[in-house]
Amino acid sequence: MTTHDIVLEWQDGQTEHISVDEDETVLEATRANDLGLPFGCLTGACATCAGRLTVGDLTHQRPPRALKDYQQQQGYALLCIAEPRSDCHIEVGARIQAEMIVTPWK
């Protein structure tokens, strides 16, 4: 089984390093390591678990219904259904979801 090193980066400068198997989602690995990333649906439908890939390669287990094509092209990923295909750096935290979702109420 192939395992990849994942670096999670928060806006305040906090970083965490975890190992994630290729058949494991990033969110599953963060939960196993007691890291408090938010999540909602666990199916790629709500974007509560959104992160932004800055280095590496992730693939989604199924089409991420909560992401538009342009958001995926900008590096956004849904960590509840994202599996690593290489070592990765991923920005996480509330700021990432706020940047990704444009609403007229902000």
Side-chain angles (χ1 to χ4, degrees):
M1 177 169 303
T2 303
T3 299
H4 298 289
D5 295 319
I6 307 296
V7 179
L8 301 170
E9 303 167 328
W10 281 261
Q11 183 179 18
D12 67 0
Q14 175 189 355
T15 61
E16 295 286 346
H17 297 253
I18 59 173
S19 294
V20 183
D21 295 334
E22 279 197 346
D23 65 348
E24 179 180 37
T25 68
V26 175
L27 185 64
E28 289 170 338
T30 64
R31 294 177 73 187
N33 285 278
D34 292 325
L35 299 173
L37 292 187
F39 62 91
C41 68
L42 297 176
T43 64
C46 74
T48 302
C49 63
R52 191 165 68 90
L53 181 69
T54 58
V55 174
D57 185 29
L58 293 171
T59 187
H60 290 106
Q61 295 172 325
R62 63 181 71 86
R65 291 183 291 161
L67 288 182
K68 307 276 190 232
D69 288 342
Y70 75 89
Q71 292 168 321
Q72 291 182 66
Q73 291 168 0
Q74 293 173 343
Y76 293 104
L78 301 180
L79 303 182
C80 70
I81 59 170
E83 298 172 340
R85 293 299 178 257
S86 70
D87 293 347
C88 297
H89 287 218
I90 304 169
E91 293 177 333
V92 295
R95 179 182 56 90
I96 297 302
Q97 186 183 35
E99 288 175 358
M100 187 183 86
I101 299 171
V102 177
T103 77
W105 295 281
K106 287 185 181 177

